[in-house]
Amino acid sequence: MPPIPDVATVGDALSVVVPTWSDGAREVKTAVCWVRRDLRASDHRALAEATRAARQVAVVFVYDTTILGELNDRADKRVTFIHRSLDDLDLALKGRLLTAIGDPCAVIPKLAHELGAEAVFANHDDDPYALRRDARVKEELAKDGRELRTFKDHVVFERAEVATAGGTPFRVYTPYARAWRAQLSARDVEACVPDLEKVGAPTTQSARAGNHTLSDVGFQEATIWLAPGSTGAKSRLDSFLARIGDYGSLRDDADTDGTSGLSVHLRHGTLSVRECVRACLGAEGEGSSKWLAELIWREFFHMVLSQMPWVVNEPFQPAYHDVDWPGSQEHFERWREGQTGYPLVDAAMRCLNETGWMHNRLRMVVAMFLTKDLLVDYRKGEVHFAEKLLDFELSSNNGGWQWCASTGADAQPWFRIFNPVTQSRRACPKGDFIRRWCPELRDCDDEQVHWPHKSGLFAGQGYVAPIVDHAVQREKALAFHKAVNRR
DNA sequence: TGAAGTTTTCA
DNA sequence: GAAAACTTC
């Protein structure tokens, strides 16, 4: 039985459960628009709904001390990115952004009370922590007779909107992607345009006008390589669209700037995913379709997390529950520090640790190396990525790691194991990326750089000897997975 | 979104 | 004797 749509179904044979984007429009006098992972002022669903429904809107961001308290690094790059993106948002709002520091469960209801706002508008955040937080905020607001109205914004199709004919979640990417594409209509990616004239900056006790300083928040400025805010997102999107035709052929080359480089912006909502999809639909050629496939992977993993949230703690594939991964702590640490003796793996890990970014292809290579060559529990790698990646998104990170570990939705067949040296020749043919991050190998030629050990020429230059033999580890991994799947 | 080992094909 | 095709994990 297909699920019964609980929102208006638009008169278009393609759409299944597509809310029309005006259902938040019941009128109120004053509204709060609470921004979280949607740090922009254009094509913003909650802000558009708020400015449509209310005569005046206060836009607020809360530096969430619960989340910030868990960060170890006082110079966390993500906090710097968010802080500078809020400066950019404040500019877009002509200096009318409000910010606060604290527990949103207390701050948001207090602010709504001070402003006499009947409703708080926000976009869905389906991470488990955010769902609990928003449920509490809603409860607190309700005590006072106020509403929390939330909207889809972060993805084109959320939660159960793309499902099998039987109404169950897809468990494999390819049929999901087919259904996703078939379901897409122009309406799904229509821009949500807010009326910024209605945004005001009232004086309140619980939030201040303008951005706090980073030191108010308890952090220091970190070095980040990308331009923050929707200004940065816009220029990156423009430069990517100029070369999207080459995306199909260059996206797996670590020596080249061939990927979109937009993941950080999509994570923090400094860019609207609808705008990305509109750009895809407007572009010719294979590149844009390939990129759309990547955006659909993001939506797929969002769906998996929201429909099967236990994947946060447990493998998607039940066969892997309660297995003991035999990898050692020592091997994990060598992997984490980029000291495995496999040049591409080491270069990629050092790049991650230093910059907070890693090429998509290399994420697969290092994840495969940790889980297959070293047989370390994928969750240890997942946590390291979560700490380091500027674009860290729970759903994509978890999905990607489980995919590589062969425990996930759309599982890699467990016998599919990358050869890190073959992958190196393919993903890094010029070797420049390796030479940049492994200076020990700077004098290696284009062939030696992928596997410098057999020549013996570089023994004295300080590059670490390989910690394992891939051929041997491959056999161990095959035996391990065979045993797990036979249980 | 594999790799490796073996067999077959074609010059 | 290389390259393509096929098989296995």
Side-chain angles (χ1 to χ4, degrees):
Chain A
M1 261 293 275
I4 297 161
D6 58 358
V7 287
T9 300
V10 288
D12 156 357
L14 288 174
S15 41
V16 183
V17 190
V18 183
T20 59
W21 82 261
S22 59
D23 58 354
R26 278 190 314 284
E27 281 192 14
V28 294
K29 193 163 130 283
T30 304
V32 169
C33 180
W34 174 23
V35 297
R36 299 98 64 92
R37 52 162 67 187
D38 41 18
L39 307 181
R40 65 184 185 281
S42 66
D43 194 358
H44 188 295
R45 177 84 185 272
L47 186 55
E49 296 282 4
T51 59
R52 174 184 284 209
R55 266 181 267 165
Q56 46 189 338
V57 177
V59 179
V60 65
F61 178 86
V62 182
Y63 287 95
D64 186 335
T65 44
T66 306
I67 297 174
L68 296 176
E70 282 176 13
L71 301 178
N72 300 321
D73 184 0
R74 286 303 94 185
D76 191 289
K77 292 180 170 58
R78 288 166 293 201
V79 180
T80 292
F81 179 86
I82 290 168
H83 181 257
R84 292 177 55 191
S85 293
L86 288 166
D87 282 343
D88 191 59
L89 176 60
D90 189 37
L91 214 59
L93 296 174
K94 300 184 179 133
R96 287 171 294 177
L97 176 70
L98 303 181
T99 57
I101 301 170
D103 175 4
C105 300
V107 172
I108 293 295
K110 188 153 172 278
L111 178 68
H113 175 81
E114 285 167 6
L115 297 176
E118 299 100 309
V120 174
F121 289 68
N123 288 317
H124 288 162
D125 181 340
D126 288 344
D127 281 6
Y129 163 78
L131 288 170
R132 288 196 300 275
R133 175 197 62 195
D134 291 356
R136 275 192 55 207
V137 169
K138 185 173 185 150
E139 229 176 84
E140 289 301 313
L141 286 169
K143 287 181 186 165
D144 231 3
R146 304 176 205 283
E147 286 179 83
L148 178 67
R149 297 188 198 170
T150 63
F151 305 89
K152 173 176 74 172
D153 179 78
H154 194 59
V155 286
V156 175
F157 294 121
E158 65 176 3
R159 304 179 179 175
E161 285 186 325
V162 176
T164 65
T168 59
F170 282 104
R171 303 170 65 82
V172 174
Y173 169 77
T174 308
Y176 172 88
R178 197 174 301 128
W180 190 102
R181 286 177 192 259
Q183 196 164 312
L184 183 70
S185 73
R187 185 187 299 265
D188 298 311
V189 291
E190 211 174 289
C192 303
V193 183
D195 176 1
L196 297 183
E197 294 301 311
K198 288 187 176 175
V199 176
T203 309
T204 68
Q205 283 197 319
S206 48
R208 55 160 288 182
N211 201 358
H212 279 81
T213 66
L214 254 188
S215 64
D216 288 346
V217 186
F219 283 79
Q220 300 154 12
E221 186 89 12
T223 308
I224 53 174
W225 79 93
L226 82 173
S230 50
T231 309
K234 184 72 186 130
S235 68
R236 180 74 199 181
L237 177 64
D238 287 345
S239 70
F240 174 60
L241 291 176
R243 57 188 165 77
I244 195 170
D246 296 328
Y247 180 73
S249 55
L250 295 182
R251 72 198 178 107
D252 285 336
D253 183 350
D255 286 325
T256 309
D257 188 17
T259 62
S260 77
L262 290 167
S263 54
V264 183
H265 292 295
L266 285 167
R267 165 63 182 86
H268 296 285
T270 40
L271 178 63
S272 154
V273 68
R274 291 179 296 275
E275 186 171 356
C276 297
V277 175
R278 288 197 300 273
C280 271
L281 299 180
E284 298 282 311
E286 174 208 52
S288 57
S289 175
K290 282 259 159 60
W291 188 45
L292 184 58
E294 298 301 316
L295 294 172
I296 299 173
W297 270 107
R298 173 176 175 274
E299 306 240 334
F300 176 66
F301 287 140
H302 161 95
M303 180 279 291
V304 170
L305 175 63
S306 86
Q307 300 310 105
M308 292 160 276
W310 44 265
V311 297
V312 172
N313 300 308
E314 290 298 325
F316 180 88
Q317 304 284 349
Y320 290 86
H321 289 197
D322 307 314
V323 306
D324 204 7
W325 296 78
S328 71
Q329 176 67 17
E330 190 206 332
H331 276 174
F332 168 68
E333 286 169 10
R334 296 285 291 266
W335 172 86
R336 188 183 60 197
E337 305 310 327
Q339 299 289 343
T340 68
Y342 282 78
L344 186 62
V345 173
D346 293 343
M349 292 307 297
R350 295 175 192 186
C351 173
L352 170 68
N353 295 338
E354 179 90 17
T355 68
W357 186 78
M358 191 192 296
H359 189 288
N360 173 257
R361 186 75 206 173
L362 304 190
R363 297 186 196 196
M364 290 186 251
V365 172
V366 303
M368 192 73 80
F369 189 82
L370 184 69
T371 58
K372 301 277 166 66
D373 283 84
L374 302 182
L375 283 170
V376 169
D377 190 328
Y378 70 88
R379 284 166 285 209
K380 297 191 79 165
E382 184 188 356
V383 167
H384 182 66
F385 271 28
E387 285 173 4
K388 291 290 177 187
L389 280 173
L390 247 128
D391 62 22
F392 166 64
E393 173 114 51
L394 180 58
S395 55
S396 295
N397 193 49
N398 180 266
W401 272 96
Q402 293 222 38
W403 185 89
C404 288
S406 300
T407 68
D410 199 57
Q412 280 274 17
W414 50 266
F415 44 80
R416 193 169 284 172
I417 298 169
F418 283 1
N419 179 322
V421 179
T422 307
Q423 287 290 321
S424 186
R425 294 198 180 95
R426 198 174 296 164
C428 192
K430 294 201 290 292
D432 293 340
F433 175 81
I434 294 173
R435 281 184 282 263
R436 174 169 171 209
W437 291 101
C438 298
E440 307 98 302
L441 303 177
R442 84 172 77 76
D443 297 325
C444 289
D445 66 30
D446 292 1
E447 174 47 35
Q448 288 170 324
V449 76
H450 302 293
W451 190 246
H453 306 293
K454 69 180 172 195
S455 69
L457 285 173
F458 302 98
Q461 296 191 17
Y463 187 59
V464 61
I467 58 172
V468 290
D469 176 342
H470 172 70
V472 172
Q473 297 309 107
R474 178 175 177 272
E475 294 305 320
K476 279 191 200 163
L478 289 170
F480 170 76
H481 285 275
K482 188 185 277 185
V484 169
N485 283 279
R486 205 191 279 141
R487 290 195 303 175

